[in-house]
């Protein structure tokens, strides 16, 4: 089991002056996550550090705007997950998985290709006192999945085929996204639109704060 200090060591191998700090999400105060310190020197990283970040994307040190909006949506509307077996795809820090567990899901599985994201999701689940099963391989998950929840994975166009894989695997899919304009992928339809921000704040442009939630069923 990877512990928080190992995650911090990894982070500092990439950005030496950075650290992980326990952060309460402004729009979901019920959730605390270990995230990049809010006062990290975003604009004054030396070129070598920038290159290391490019080579080792640290998605899991942020709670992305779409993740925070989907977590807030589940906490406000727990009937989407209550008593259900839920899969968080591309879990990163685990924010949406943690929200599903807090909202009363019977079982939560979190999946990510990045081993450090999987470790971070495990640490953050424990921090919030919930149980989340962490897996590397979507295809290896057995049994019924009632709902797949996804936040901010469509920044990578290579992930678009997953939209169909999700609907074949579960009766319902909820996707939160702010990256794709003119999202038109039936049977997905927009059910919610809300402004959100990444934590710590990346100062993203207004378009990337404009989060939509799409449902397929
Ligand atoms: C921008 S982060 C979003 C994390 C989290 N859902 C949130 O909203 O804060 C995207 C995450 O998806 C994961 N990811 C991207 N493509 C993936 C794939 N094909 N399979 C599994 N995980 C993937 C990345 O490793 C990363 O952790």
């Amino acid at each position: 089991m990877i512990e928080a200090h190992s995650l911090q060591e990894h982070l500092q191998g990439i950005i030496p002056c950075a650290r992980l700090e326990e952060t309460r999400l402004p729009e979901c105060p019920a959730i605390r996550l270990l995230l990049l310190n809010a006062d990290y020197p975003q604009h004054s990283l030396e070129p070598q550090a920038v290159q290391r970040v490019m080579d080792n994307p640290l998605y899991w040190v942020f709670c992305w705007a779409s993740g925070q909006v989907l977590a807030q949506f589940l906490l406000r509307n727990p009937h989407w997950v209550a008593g259900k077996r839920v899969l968080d795809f591309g879990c990163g820090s685990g924010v949406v998985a943690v929200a599903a567990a807090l909202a009363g899901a019977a079982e939560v599985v979190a999946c990510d290709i990045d081993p450090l994201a999987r470790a971070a999701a495990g640490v953050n689940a424990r921090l919030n006192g919930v149980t989340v099963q962490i897996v590397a391989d979507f295809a290896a998950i057995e049994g019924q999945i009632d709902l797949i929840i996804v936040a901010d994975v469509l920044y990578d166009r290579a992930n678009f085929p997953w939209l169909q894989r999700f609907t074949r695997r579960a009766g319902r899919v909820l996707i939160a996204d702010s990256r794709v304009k003119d999202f038109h992928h039936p049977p997905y339809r927009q059910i919610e639109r809300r402004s959100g921000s990444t934590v710590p704040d990346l100062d993203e442009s207004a378009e990337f704060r404009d989060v939509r939630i799409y449902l397929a069923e």
Side-chain angles (χ1 to χ4, degrees):
M1 186 188 296
I2 295 186
E3 299 292 347
H5 64 84
S6 308
L7 289 170
Q8 169 122 316
E9 276 170 22
H10 181 87
L11 168 64
Q12 291 179 337
I14 296 171
I15 310 176
C17 54
R19 62 181 194 282
L20 291 174
E21 66 184 13
E22 207 177 293
T23 308
R24 200 172 281 283
L25 298 184
E27 304 300 330
C28 304
I31 299 179
R32 291 172 299 148
L33 300 173
L34 274 188
L35 298 174
L36 181 64
N37 53 303
D39 56 354
Y40 76 106
Q42 187 182 351
H43 300 294
S44 58
L45 287 184
E46 54 184 34
Q48 296 95 320
V50 172
Q51 189 57 49
R52 284 195 298 273
V53 173
M54 304 287 275
D55 294 341
N56 304 273
L58 295 162
Y59 294 116
W60 52 276
V61 303
F62 295 95
C63 168
W64 296 86
S66 292
Q68 187 170 204
V69 166
L70 187 52
Q72 185 187 37
F73 178 81
L74 296 179
L75 290 169
R76 283 192 177 157
N77 304 283
H79 64 274
W80 283 95
V81 295
K84 300 197 164 58
R85 184 168 190 243
V86 178
L87 166 66
D88 177 10
F89 180 88
C91 63
S93 68
V95 55
V96 187
V98 167
L102 290 175
E107 191 182 340
V108 182
V109 183
C111 170
D112 203 292
I113 40 171
D114 178 356
L116 289 163
R118 296 196 295 274
V123 166
N124 284 322
R126 290 195 290 282
L127 185 63
N128 287 275
V130 297
T131 302
V132 172
Q133 185 196 344
I134 314 285
V135 300
D137 183 6
F138 178 90
I141 301 167
E142 294 180 347
Q144 178 175 325
I145 300 169
D146 300 307
L147 173 71
I148 298 178
I149 47 179
V150 189
D152 202 357
V153 302
L154 299 178
Y155 60 90
D156 184 349
R157 296 213 147 236
N159 280 334
F160 276 49
W162 283 101
L163 293 170
Q164 272 67 51
R165 287 176 205 146
F166 295 149
T167 54
R168 285 198 295 270
R169 187 65 180 82
R172 277 182 159 179
V173 186
L174 284 173
I175 297 193
D177 180 75
S178 64
R179 311 286 172 196
V180 182
K181 301 304 149 203
D182 304 320
F183 182 101
H184 186 68
H185 294 274
Y188 290 89
R189 62 185 170 86
Q190 185 180 319
I191 58 163
E192 178 79 310
R193 182 175 181 182
R194 189 172 281 272
S195 178
S197 57
T198 294
V199 184
D201 198 351
L202 276 175
D203 213 11
E204 289 184 290
S205 61
E207 67 172 312
F208 294 132
R209 295 168 184 261
D210 182 13
V211 178
R212 291 132 198 262
I213 299 178
Y214 304 97
L215 165 67
E217 59 184 351

